[in-house]
Amino acid sequence: LLGDVRGRRVLDGGCGPGLYLAELLTRGAQAIGFDQSSDMVRLARQRLGPDVTIHQHDLDQPLDWLPDESIDLAVLALVIHYVRNRVAALRELHRVLRPQGRLVLSTSHPTADWLDDGGSYFDARHAQQQWSCGMQHRFWRQPLQRWIEEFTAAGFTLDTLIEHQPQQAMAHRHPADYTRLSQEPGFIAFRLRKTPALSLTCEDAL
């Protein structure tokens, strides 16, 4: 979804231990990352060394260390469903993206959330899961329509939507999960385009 990133300034929001940052750098991007967790920032710095800019920052706070229109592409990989004020965070990303900039983000598929959490598909609420490692996972779930409404409220236009299917190699290592994810979506990804502000002429106003 990101396309050719060579020479482009790419922001990885919620970068975790730097896996996407490492891939972006390998592909020739000028990558910048941030994460709320000090442990993740430390791991990312260990992975990538001192020459890569990585901030500790909460996406629920303004990106006041980034000027307007300073980023070509932004990535939010499995991050947006942890953010309290998603529209405000998306508007900040819209602000720092250059004209016609792109935001690529992924989240758990609304159908998967519904099947796992129960209730109505149209519910919009916090859900909680217990992972196999014992960690409690709390996240925001909502129907697809609500996600699109939040994207457009922040000033983005939807370019592309992908509903992931598992790679064939997964069938040998995790056959049960492979069978399930071949029939039920687990994740969804979007490529959003920054919508330029419209400038009205006198004729338009009339």
Side-chain angles (χ1 to χ4, degrees), residues 9 11 32 34 55 63-71 92-93 95-96:
R9 199 164 189 232
L11 177 68
I32 305 168
F34 69 87
H55 294 267
L63 295 164
D64 49 13
W65 41 275
L66 280 173
D68 295 354
E69 300 184 358
S70 57
I71 298 294
E92 270 294 276
L93 291 166
R95 176 185 67 80
V96 303

Side-chain angles (χ1 to χ4, degrees), residues 23-99:
E23 180 66 22
L24 289 165
L25 292 167
T26 298
R27 297 187 183 191
Q30 302 170 19
I32 305 168
F34 69 87
D35 199 280
Q36 180 185 20
S37 165
S38 59
D39 288 337
M40 290 299 173
V41 170
R42 175 178 52 80
L43 290 170
R45 287 173 176 164
Q46 288 176 357
R47 180 185 302 276
L48 300 168
D51 295 332
V52 180
T53 301
I54 305 170
H55 294 267
Q56 183 177 355
H57 182 83
D58 187 339
L59 194 54
D60 274 308
Q61 301 300 319
L63 295 164
D64 49 13
W65 41 275
L66 280 173
D68 295 354
E69 300 184 358
S70 57
I71 298 294
D72 295 304
L73 297 162
V75 183
L76 291 181
L78 300 179
V79 174
I80 193 66
H81 47 271
Y82 298 124
V83 179
R84 291 187 297 275
N85 192 335
R86 293 170 302 283
V87 173
L90 291 166
R91 283 177 176 159
E92 270 294 276
L93 291 166
H94 188 280
R95 176 185 67 80
V96 303
L97 282 169
R98 294 188 172 120

Side-chain angles (χ1 to χ4, degrees), residues 109 111-112 115 164-166 177 179-187:
H109 197 288
T111 300
L115 291 172
H164 299 87
Q165 296 185 51
D177 289 332
T179 299
R180 178 176 59 83
L181 292 173
S182 297
Q183 302 174 29
E184 303 172 4
F187 299 100

Side-chain angles (χ1 to χ4, degrees), residues 98-205:
R98 294 188 172 120
Q100 299 299 315
R102 300 292 193 273
L103 167 62
V104 172
L105 64 85
S106 59
T107 185
S108 51
H109 197 288
T111 300
D113 292 341
W114 168 49
L115 291 172
D116 183 76
D117 188 47
S120 168
Y121 168 79
F122 298 101
D123 286 346
R125 65 170 187 244
H126 281 101
Q128 189 160 298
Q129 297 172 335
Q130 181 165 338
W131 288 349
S132 57
C133 62
M135 180 182 294
Q136 291 293 324
H137 172 227
R138 190 169 186 266
F139 63 98
W140 183 256
R141 58 160 286 196
Q142 61 185 10
L144 180 60
Q145 177 178 326
R146 286 283 296 270
W147 285 114
I148 302 298
E149 289 171 349
E150 291 184 352
F151 301 156
T152 57
F156 288 100
T157 299
L158 177 63
D159 266 354
T160 306
L161 180 154
I162 291 179
E163 296 174 297
H164 299 87
Q165 296 185 51
Q167 295 185 5
Q168 184 62 41
M170 187 180 179
H172 305 292
R173 298 183 60 187
H174 307 283
D177 289 332
Y178 175 83
T179 299
R180 178 176 59 83
L181 292 173
S182 297
Q183 302 174 29
E184 303 172 4
F187 299 100
I188 192 169
F190 308 87
R191 184 174 65 212
L192 309 177
R193 175 168 43 88
K194 179 174 180 175
T195 306
L198 295 176
S199 56
L200 295 179
T201 66
C202 293
E203 289 80 6
D204 292 326

